C-alpha cells in the first residue's frame, strides 16, 4: 500500500496576495463615498501636495522679516526699476525688501493694516502703487518714496479743508505768503522768500483742518510724519467727498477704478492717472438683490478677434455685475454685459483672483470660475466649482467660520502651481491648497498666516507675531519639524465583507536626508498613524551635461527608492498611510514624496 502525505484542510489555507496602490495624485476628496473612492484619491492629505506624478510633502517656511510689532495683514509687492517688498502691520507700513529686523516704518499713523493694492504703469513707464483701505487717505508709492501730499492744487494752492487724524503732520511751502491753520489745529506758517522752503510740524486733533492761503505760496505740501520730504504734486484723489472711504482698487483699461465703502458706487480716474479727479459710476440700478459692492477685478475673455477685458464687480449678496468698454461717459464705448447670482463672497476685496482667461470667485458655494457663473443657475454652480472635490468640507468650513473675516484670501503661487485659500485664524493654522494644473486638493497644516503674496517668484505670508515669513523654503517650519500625513483611497479588494489581515506595505518614494518616513495601513475608515520607519536615502548628485556617464550617472534630485515596512492591521477596507517628518536647515529642502507601492495581506483575521 502506497503511503501519501496528508493534505491540509481548506480551512488551514492562507492566501497572501499583494495589491498595488498609487499615490493619491487626484488629491483630497470629500465628495465621494469612502467605500467607493477613486484609486488616485486621498482620504486625508495634510501637508502633502499632489503633483502630476507624485504627492510631495510641502517645503517649510522661515522668518524673512521680523519686528513689525503687530499682526501683518497685507504684504505689498512692487516690481519696477527697483523691486521692493512692503508689509503692513498695526498702523504702519515697513520696507521689508532686505529681510531681517525691520527699521523705521515708511508710513505710520494709519487706522488699519488691511489694504487693497494695485500697481500701475503709465505710458511714460513710471511705476506706481496705489493703496486704499476704507479708513485712511489713499496712499501712493512712486518707486522711490511714499508720497501723500494732502493739499489739492499744491503748485499754487487755494484755501481748502483737509481731513486729518491725531498724528504728526508736516506743512511746507516756498514763497513769501502764508498758510494759516484752523479747526483741528491753530497756527501760522509764514514764507521767507521765493526760493526758501519753510516747514511746520504739528499734531492736530482728529477732524477737519482748514488751510487759509494768503499771498504767494507755491509747491505746498502737507504730509504725515515729522520730516518734510522732497516736494511732489498733490497725490489726492478728489471728486469723491471722502476719499478715505475707498475700499478696493483695480487697474482696468488704462484707468484705476475704486469701490466706495458701504455703497453701490464705483469711482474711476482719468486715463493713465494715479491721482486727481475721480468720476462716479452708480451701479445700484443694475443690482437686483440689494447689498453693497465689496470686490472689483478684471475678467479677460477670449473672443474671435483676440482677447477682451471686462470689469467685474461683486456685491455683499453675491451678485456679479459685468461691464465692457473703457469709458463710462460714452454711450458707444460702455455697456452692461450682464448680472449673475452666486453665493455670498468670503471676506472682502480678496475674494477674486484672475487665473489665465478666467476669474475665480470665492463664495459660500465654493470657488466658482466666472465662466461657470455666467452659464449656470446658482443652484448648479457648486457642481462647476473648483472646490467641488472638497465640496462638503468647504460648506462645513464656511458654516464654522462665517463669511466676514478679512483673513479669507484667495491667492496663488504660479511657480509651484498652487492656488491657496487662507482660512481665518479662528479656525486654526490651515490653508486649502489646489494644484492649478490638475485641480487636486490638499490641506496645509501648521502655517500661521494672516495674508499671502508672491514677489520675485517667491511666496510670502504675514503672521500675527509681527513677522513676514517665506514659504515653500527650507526643510523645517522655522525650526519646527514639518509633519505630513497621507491616507490613500480605501480599498476592499473586491470583497467588502471579508476581513483582510495586512502584513507588509511597500512604498516607492523619494526620501531626503532630513526626512523620516513612516508607513502603515489604516483600516475600516479610521486613520491609524504609522510608526514603522522606512529607512532614508541620500540625495543623488546631479549629473552634468558633457561629463555624466550614460547608464551610470543619476538624474538630479533625490532618487526613487522602494522600501518596506511592517503593517499589521485587519479590517474589511484598507488604505495605505504614509507619514513624513522633515527637520532640516533653512538653507536647503529635503524631499519627501510618494509615487505608489504595494500592500501584502491575507484573507481572514490573523491566526
Amino acid at each position: 500500500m502506497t503511503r501519501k502525505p496528508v493534505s491540509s484542510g481548506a480551512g488551514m489555507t492562507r492566501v497572501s496576495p499583494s495589491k498595488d496602490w498609487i499615490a493619491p495624485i487626484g488629491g483630497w476628496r470629500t465628495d465621494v463615498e469612502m467605500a467607493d473612492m477613486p484609486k488616485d484619491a486621498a482620504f486625508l492629505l495634510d501637508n502633502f501636495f499632489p503633483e502630476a506624478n507624485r504627492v510631495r510633502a510641502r517645503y517649510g517656511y522661515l522668518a524673512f522679516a521680523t519686528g513689525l510689532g503687530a499682526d501683518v495683514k497685507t504684504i505689498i509687492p512692487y516690481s519696477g526699476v527697483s523691486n521692493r517688498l512692503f508689509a503692513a502691520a498695526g498702523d504702519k507700513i515697513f520696507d521689508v525688501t532686505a529681510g531681517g529686523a525691520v527699521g523705521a516704518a515708511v508710513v505710520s499713523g494709519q487706522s488699519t493694516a488691511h489694504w487693497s493694492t494695485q500697481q500701475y504703469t503709465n505710458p511714460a513707464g513710471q511705476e506706481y502703487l496705489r493703496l486704499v483701505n476704507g479708513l485712511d487717505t489713499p496712499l501712493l508709492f512712486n518707486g522711490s518714496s511714499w508720497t501723500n501730499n494732502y493739499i489739492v492744487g499744491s503748485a499754487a494752492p487755494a484755501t481748502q479743508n483737509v481731513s486729518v487724524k491725531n498724528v504728526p503732520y508736516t506743512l511746507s511751502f516756498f514763497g513769501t505768503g502764508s498758510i494759516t491753520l484752523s479747526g483741528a489745529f491753530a497756527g501760522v506758517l509764514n514764507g521767507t522768500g521765493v526760493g526758501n522752503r519753510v516747514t511746520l510740524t504739528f499734531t492736530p486733533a482728529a477732524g477737519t483742518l482748514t488751510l487759509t492761503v494768503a499771498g504767494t505760496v507755491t509747491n505746498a505740501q502737507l504730509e504725515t510724519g515729522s520730516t518734510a520730504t522732497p516736494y511732489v504734486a498733490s497725490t489726492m484723489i478728489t471728486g469723491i467727498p471722502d476719499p478715505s472711504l475707498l475700499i478696493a482698487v483695480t487697474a482696468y483699461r488704462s484707468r484705476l477704478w475704486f469701490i466706495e465703502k458701504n455703497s453701490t458706487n464705483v469711482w474711476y480716474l482719468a486715463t493713465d492717472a494715479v491721482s486727481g479727479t475721480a468720476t462716479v459710476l452708480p451701479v445700484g440700478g443694475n443690482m437686483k438683490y440689494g447689498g453693497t459692492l465689496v470686490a472689483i477685478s478684471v475678467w479677460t475673455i477670449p473672443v474671435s478677434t483676440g482677447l477682451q477685458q471686462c470689469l467685474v464687480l461683486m456685491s455683499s449678496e453675491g451678485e456679479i455685475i459685468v461691464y465692457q468698454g473703457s469709458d463710462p461717459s460714452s454711450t458707444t464705448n460702455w455697456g452692461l454685459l450682464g448680472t449673475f447670482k452666486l453665493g455670498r463672497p468670503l471676506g472682502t476685496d480678496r475674494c477674486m483672483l484672475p487665473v489665465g482667461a478666467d476669474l475665480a470667485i470665492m463664495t459660500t458655494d465654493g470657488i466658482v470660475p466666472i465662466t461657470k457663473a455666467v452659464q449656470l443657475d446658482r443652484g448648479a454652480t457648486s457642481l462647476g466649482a473648483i472646490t467641488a472635490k472638497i465640496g462638503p468640507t468647504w460648506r462645513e468650513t464656511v458654516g464654522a467660520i462665517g463669511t466676514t473675516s478679512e483673513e479669507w484670501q484667495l491667492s496663488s503661487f504660479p511657480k509651484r502651481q498652487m492656488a491657496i485659500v487662507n482660512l481665518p485664524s479662528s479656525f486654526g493654522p490651515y490653508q486649502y491648497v489646489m494644484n492649478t494644473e490638475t485641480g487636486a486638493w490638499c490641506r496645509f497644516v501648521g502655517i500661521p498666516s494672516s495674508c499671502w503674496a508672491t514677489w520675485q517668484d517667491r511666496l510670502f505670508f504675514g503672521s500675527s507675531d509681527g513677522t513676514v515669513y517665506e514659504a515653500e523654503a527650507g526643510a523645517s517650519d522655522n525650526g519646527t519639524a514639518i509633519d505630513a500625513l497621507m491616507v490613500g483611497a480605501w480599498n476592499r479588494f473586491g470583497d467588502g465583507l471579508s476581513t483582510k489581515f495586512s502584513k507588509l506595505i511597500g512604498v516607492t518614494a523619494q526620501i531626503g536626508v532630513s526626512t523620516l518616513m513612516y508607513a502603515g495601513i489604516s483600516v475600516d475608515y479610521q486613520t491609524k498613524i504609522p510608526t514603522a520607519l522606512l529607512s532614508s536615502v541620500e540625495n543623488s548628485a546631479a549629473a552634468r551635461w558633457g561629463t555624466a556617464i550614460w547608464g551610470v550617472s543619476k538624474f538630479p534630485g533625490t532618487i526613487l527608492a522602494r522600501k518596506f515596512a511592517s503593517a499589521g492591521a485587519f479590517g474589511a477596507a484598507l488604505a495605505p498611510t504614509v507619514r513624513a517628518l522633515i527637520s532640516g536647515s533653512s538653507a536647503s529642502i529635503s524631499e519627501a514624496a510618494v509615487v505608489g507601492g504595494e500592500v501584502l495581506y491575507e484573507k481572514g483575521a490573523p491566526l
Side-chain angles (χ1 to χ4, degrees):
M1 179 175 161
T2 304
R3 301 177 65 185
K4 296 181 180 180
V6 178
S7 61
S8 60
M12 298 295 293
T13 301
R14 301 303 299 263
V15 180
S16 297
S18 66
K19 295 290 185 179
D20 293 339
W21 57 271
I22 62 173
I25 58 175
W28 181 32
R29 299 287 297 271
T30 63
D31 64 325
V32 293
E33 291 286 345
M34 289 187 290
D36 193 29
M37 296 180 73
K39 64 181 181 179
D40 67 347
F43 173 70
L44 187 149
L45 204 58
D46 283 354
N47 287 335
F48 271 112
F49 180 68
E51 296 182 338
N53 59 352
R54 62 176 188 168
V55 294
R56 169 185 63 84
R58 67 166 175 82
Y59 302 138
Y61 64 82
L62 52 94
F64 177 74
T66 60
L68 281 74
D71 191 356
V72 180
K73 294 185 177 180
T74 311
I75 297 175
I76 309 161
Y78 172 83
S79 298
V81 176
S82 61
N83 296 307
R84 310 285 282 277
L85 186 66
F86 301 96
D91 65 345
K92 300 178 177 63
I93 296 177
F94 297 88
D95 187 336
V96 298
T97 306
V102 298
V106 294
V107 177
S108 59
Q110 306 305 299
S111 301
T112 179
H114 183 98
W115 294 90
S116 174
T117 71
Q118 179 62 57
Q119 183 161 337
Y120 185 77
T121 306
N122 66 17
Q126 297 170 303
E127 300 275 0
Y128 294 94
L129 273 175
R130 178 55 93 176
L131 279 67
V132 297
N133 67 8
L135 293 172
D136 298 296
T137 300
L139 297 178
L140 186 70
F141 179 69
N142 64 9
S144 59
S145 62
W146 290 87
T147 58
N148 56 346
N149 188 355
Y150 295 95
I151 296 180
V152 178
S154 55
T159 297
Q160 58 193 269
N161 295 324
V162 176
S163 178
V164 293
K165 296 180 296 184
N166 183 221
V167 298
Y169 289 81
T170 297
L171 173 66
S172 62
F173 68 85
F174 293 83
T176 58
S178 65
I179 296 181
T180 301
L181 307 178
S182 59
F185 181 82
V188 179
L189 180 60
N190 293 305
T192 61
V194 174
N196 297 335
R197 187 185 196 191
V198 292
T199 65
L200 172 66
T201 297
F202 62 96
T203 301
T208 300
L209 179 70
T210 300
L211 297 91
T212 303
V213 180
T216 302
V217 172
T218 63
N219 289 9
Q221 183 158 290
L222 177 66
E223 56 192 314
T224 56
S226 302
T227 303
T229 62
Y231 169 76
V232 295
S234 174
T235 58
M236 290 289 288
I237 296 173
T238 60
I240 178 173
D242 186 357
S244 68
L245 295 179
L246 300 177
I247 59 170
V249 56
T250 196
Y252 168 69
R253 304 291 289 271
S254 300
R255 299 178 190 263
L256 289 180
W257 299 71
F258 306 88
I259 289 176
E260 181 184 348
K261 182 169 64 176
N262 297 329
S263 79
T264 57
N265 291 333
V266 177
W267 295 81
Y268 59 95
L269 296 179
T271 302
D272 297 321
V274 292
S275 58
T277 303
T279 304
V280 67
L281 173 67
V283 177
N286 294 317
M287 295 169 59
K288 305 173 185 176
Y289 301 96
T292 60
L293 296 176
V294 296
I296 185 170
S297 192
V298 177
W299 174 26
T300 303
I301 309 173
V303 295
S304 59
T305 56
L307 297 174
Q308 174 180 297
Q309 285 192 326
C310 294
L311 184 69
V312 179
L313 304 166
M314 188 171 195
S315 79
S316 56
E317 299 304 307
E319 187 172 8
I320 303 295
I321 307 100
V322 183
Y323 289 98
Q324 60 181 349
S326 60
D327 184 2
S329 66
S330 170
T331 57
T332 59
N333 190 20
W334 187 258
L336 177 70
L337 189 62
T339 63
F340 315 94
K341 186 67 172 72
L342 298 176
R344 298 182 68 187
L346 300 182
T348 51
D349 57 295
R350 299 174 183 175
C351 66
M352 295 199 286
L353 178 69
V355 181
D358 212 332
L359 179 67
I361 306 171
M362 186 169 61
T363 76
T364 54
D365 296 337
I367 300 175
V368 182
I370 195 170
T371 50
K372 297 293 184 181
V374 302
Q375 297 173 9
L376 302 172
D377 180 81
R378 184 197 167 183
T381 53
S382 60
L383 300 176
I386 296 171
T387 48
K389 292 180 179 179
I390 58 169
T393 300
W394 184 269
R395 289 185 287 273
E396 290 173 4
T397 303
V398 172
I401 298 175
T403 64
T404 59
S405 173
E406 290 183 340
E407 291 182 324
W408 281 109
Q409 182 183 359
L410 178 58
S411 60
S412 67
F413 184 35
K415 180 180 179 180
R416 300 286 187 199
Q417 299 175 318
M418 291 179 177
I420 303 168
V421 178
N422 192 63
L423 303 183
S425 56
S426 60
F427 192 68
Y430 300 115
Q431 298 80 37
Y432 295 157
V433 183
M434 187 190 76
N435 184 313
T436 55
E437 180 185 34
T438 66
W441 285 90
C442 68
R443 185 175 69 162
F444 283 0
V445 181
I447 300 179
S449 58
S450 300
C451 62
W452 294 80
T454 58
W455 176 66
Q456 300 294 291
D457 256 353
R458 297 161 69 184
L459 180 64
F460 296 88
F461 67 89
S463 184
S464 60
D465 64 358
T467 302
V468 174
Y469 293 93
E470 182 173 1
E472 281 293 288
S476 71
D477 284 348
N478 204 38
T480 302
I482 305 166
D483 193 347
L485 184 63
M486 178 211 90
V487 180
W490 298 102
N491 201 323
R492 294 169 293 174
F493 302 111
D495 183 355
L497 295 176
S498 300
T499 298
K500 293 93 179 171
F501 173 42
S502 64
K503 303 171 65 177
L504 194 69
I505 181 171
V507 181
T508 303
Q510 294 169 296
I511 310 174
V513 293
S514 300
T515 296
L516 296 177
M517 190 172 286
Y518 304 81
I521 295 292
S522 294
V523 295
D524 292 344
Y525 316 112
Q526 299 293 321
T527 298
K528 181 181 179 182
I529 306 297
T531 58
L533 180 66
L534 297 171
S535 60
S536 62
V537 295
E538 295 292 330
N539 281 340
S540 62
R544 294 184 179 181
W545 182 259
T547 61
I549 301 174
W550 182 262
V552 176
S553 298
K554 300 174 181 177
F555 289 106
T558 305
I559 62 174
L560 281 172
R562 188 182 181 204
K563 299 292 180 178
F564 295 89
S566 176
F570 61 95
L574 309 179
T577 305
V578 177
R579 182 188 188 192
L581 288 177
I582 307 166
S583 185
S585 71
S586 61
S588 62
I589 60 174
S590 182
E591 291 290 341
V594 177
V595 174
E598 310 83 24
V599 175
L600 183 68
Y601 71 96
E602 293 181 350
K603 294 182 179 179
L607 296 175

